[in-house]
Amino acid sequence: MSILILADHDNSQLAAATLNTVTAATQIGGDIHVLVAGDTSGDVAKAAAAIAGVSKVLTAGADAMAHGIAENIAPLIQSMASNYNHLMAPATTTGKNIMPRVAALLDVMQVSDIIKVESADTFQRPIYAGNAIATVTSNEAVKVVTVRSTAFEAAAAEGGSASIEAVDSGADSGL
């Protein structure tokens, strides 16, 4: 079982919410890969490679990825999806912008804002403005998930030694 996490960053620093998403992914189990789209300096990729539990960091540093435009990043993730059981991102502005597009491109449902991992296909998420908790099971071949970062401890930002590989960034949508 493999998991791809979309790193949230500002092209110079990795957002802390990515560390919480790695913790959620470790509770699912399997190889954890982190996609860093847009960082051409490599600083974010190096930070992601140092996270405990991450086995590989994939970088897409083309100009089309530089501004984090969902219309460019979602097709990239879609092209990589066949290699993964779970596609995850922090439930931040970036994750909430890109992941629904990924789910639509893959024609699967998205499980949003998870607060607990019960198993590889069962999650808990708040509903009714947080007044109730729903347990959601997904039978999709690829699960598209956003993670509420406050519900998970941050993974150790040091101690990992993941490999860093470049991937083909795909085409620019022209936006």
Side-chain angles (χ1 to χ4, degrees):
M1 189 175 329
S2 295
I3 301 168
L4 179 66
I5 297 173
L6 175 63
D8 194 348
H9 62 89
D10 64 0
N11 282 325
S12 63
Q13 291 186 335
L14 187 66
T18 304
L19 300 174
N20 304 89
T21 304
V22 170
T23 298
T26 60
Q27 292 177 10
I28 294 170
D31 285 337
I32 299 172
H33 299 174
V34 175
L35 173 62
V36 177
D39 172 42
T40 57
S41 70
D43 292 341
V44 176
K46 289 174 190 168
I51 300 171
V54 174
S55 60
K56 187 186 295 184
V57 175
L58 305 169
T59 61
D63 290 342
M65 303 293 154
H67 299 292
I69 297 173
E71 289 81 1
N72 291 337
I73 297 174
L76 170 63
I77 296 172
Q78 176 196 18
S79 71
M80 301 169 73
S82 62
N83 299 322
Y84 298 97
N85 300 95
H86 295 78
L87 304 173
M88 302 177 78
T92 59
T93 303
T94 301
K96 289 181 177 187
N97 187 23
I98 295 170
M99 297 312 277
R101 295 167 195 265
V102 171
L105 289 169
L106 295 172
D107 195 25
V108 299
M109 71 170 210
Q110 175 178 310
V111 181
S112 301
D113 289 328
I114 68 164
I115 59 171
K116 183 177 181 186
V117 174
E118 291 191 2
S119 68
D121 64 352
T122 306
F123 311 94
Q124 286 186 2
R125 63 178 301 273
I127 59 174
Y128 300 118
N131 291 315
I133 305 299
T135 300
V136 180
T137 300
S138 172
N139 295 325
E140 304 286 2
V142 177
K143 288 141 189 76
V144 178
V145 179
T146 60
V147 176
R148 187 170 284 189
S149 59
T150 56
F152 296 91
E153 293 291 323
E158 300 292 326
S161 58
S163 62
I164 300 174
E165 297 177 15
V167 296
D168 181 19
S169 299
D172 186 347
S173 66
L175 298 176

